[in-house]
Amino acid sequence: MSTQPLADFLAHSVELESEARERYLELAESMAAHHNDAVSEFFLRMAEESRLHLEEVGGIAKDHDLPELKAWEFQWPDEESPETTSYEAVHYRMSLREAMLLALDNERAAEKFYASFARSSSDENTRKLAAQFAAEEASHAAQLVKKLGALPADSGQHLEEDDDPHMPE
Amino acid sequence: MNEPIKLKAKDYKSSVKPIWCPGCGHFSVLNALTKAFAGLGIDKDDTVLVSGIGCSSRLPAYVDSYGFHGVHGRGLAIAQGLKVARPDLTVIAMGGDGDGFSIGGNHFLHACRRNVNMTYIAMDNEVYGMTKGQASPTTPADWDHSKLTPHGPGVRPFKPAALALASGAPWIARGYSGNPNQMARLIAAAIEHPGFSFVHVLSQCITFCPEQTDWKAVVHEREEEALVDADEAAQLFLHEDGFQTGVLYNAQRATWPPSVPEPQSTDITRGFSV
Ligand SMILES: Cc1ncc(C[n+]2csc(CCOP(=O)(O)OP(=O)(O)O)c2C)c(N)n1
Ligand SMILES: [Mg+2]
């Protein structure tokens, strides 16, 4: 990522936000199919937040000629884009608190990703924009921390179910 | 002429919503496949996904292409027939470890041997997910979570890559559901390979095998180029840990059916002459 730092950075930002949104939507739908409504609703709200952020990033990106990258050509610090919830981290019986902690990890990973560009991009405009995005992710994280603090005590309980996923006796 | 509109991965998804458990590795295969389609600019109308039965075999319903949800273990038979009848189509067969290595095991061996130009994706969660967690041919011998095998199945698991090689598969890759972007690259390469390409995917079942969440720590990408020598590949597949990902084997072999010239009417007449 060096010949056109800003366009590359924006391509990654658009992908990051749209993947975060897609995954939250996908998880919200499958949580609803498995009757974990509290977590489903929470993931839907997170998807909406990602959509708003995507709109903002997309609005800036539309004035630039972004490179068309294939999924495997993006350069992420980890296997997936930083704000994407890992599959193996979720469970259909997970509590709202656990879901919120995962989302908090996502926000922090996105903040770290943007902050690294804010620190080390060779291009001044990229550094400025990345610092702005990092600050936004930090404020999302702070909001989540506040919401986590306000959760009722039983929000850490796993979902009860009548039909355990075990073999019949 | 107008430029064709470039589709994004999500444009390849159908409006049918998956009913897989949240966290199921098969979601990642769906995402990798649609990312591969977007990367290759695949034409939906020329693509057919064929499956057997199982959680994994539901995947074709979730993709906006042609699809065929077949009979348990028979996806490969249907897919090969289709590709032979319609060589112009991109044909991808898929299913689970139960579907592909138990009931469909024989079809798997012969599909590797026959080498029809198509792709087969096996989503291996080492368990029969759909029927609530019984042991499959890839289940570890000491896996004791099922009441049908309370002390574990007690037999050594299949090595799908070794089996594929021994049966003649010319192209073998392994992906992991924790890395859908790499998997997308592998599936794209598999589709482009001119012959039978086998993608073995470690696709966790977090419901019946929660211990598979630990795969993340042990999966590792193979750094070296794909092997072209079958003897070297045999050594690799017999002795590896089963957790290395990448294109592992890439050889060229004539596909089936061989191209034969269309018979001319004079040939036919000659065939009947006495
Ligand atoms: C002929 C036949 N035999 C048995 C079954 C029951 N059955 C449905 S799915 C399945 C195994 C599925 O396991 P796998 O292929 O590993 O897919 P997963 O659900 O794990 O993705 C079995 C045995 C069936 N549907 N048809
Ligand atoms: Mg299975």
Side-chain angles (χ1 to χ4, degrees), chain B residues 14 18 36 60 67 124 145 153 173 182-183 187-188 210 220 229 238 263:
Chain B
S14 75
D124 188 356
H145 298 210
Q182 179 213 26
M183 202 201 309
I187 292 175
H220 54 104
D229 182 90
L238 287 174

Side-chain angles (χ1 to χ4, degrees), chain B residues 166-254:
Chain B
S167 311
W171 195 98
I172 302 168
R174 189 181 292 119
Y176 165 49
S177 281
N179 195 345
N181 294 324
Q182 179 213 26
M183 202 201 309
R185 174 169 59 78
L186 299 175
I187 292 175
I191 293 171
E192 291 197 310
H193 175 78
F196 184 77
S197 46
F198 171 48
V199 186
H200 178 219
V201 178
L202 303 168
S203 181
Q204 75 276 353
C205 173
I206 51 108
T207 298
F208 296 109
C209 310
E211 68 281 5
Q212 290 173 352
T213 55
D214 298 341
W215 279 352
K216 192 137 213 159
V218 287
V219 166
H220 54 104
E221 188 162 358
R222 192 180 139 83
E223 309 275 324
E224 297 88 350
E225 287 275 294
L227 294 171
V228 290
D229 182 90
D231 289 340
E232 284 178 28
Q235 287 304 314
L236 178 81
F237 292 148
L238 287 174
H239 302 297
E240 59 152 357
D241 62 3
F243 289 107
Q244 64 183 329
T245 59
V247 180
L248 306 176
Y249 180 60
N250 182 2
Q252 300 286 336
R253 195 158 70 72

Side-chain angles (χ1 to χ4, degrees), chain B residues 111-133:
Chain B
C112 294
R113 179 171 79 96
R114 201 169 284 123
N115 195 23
V116 171
N117 181 11
M118 54 167 283
T119 295
Y120 175 49
I121 303 173
M123 295 171 237
D124 188 356
N125 51 16
E126 303 179 347
V127 77
Y128 291 2
M130 178 168 265
T131 48
K132 299 194 106 187

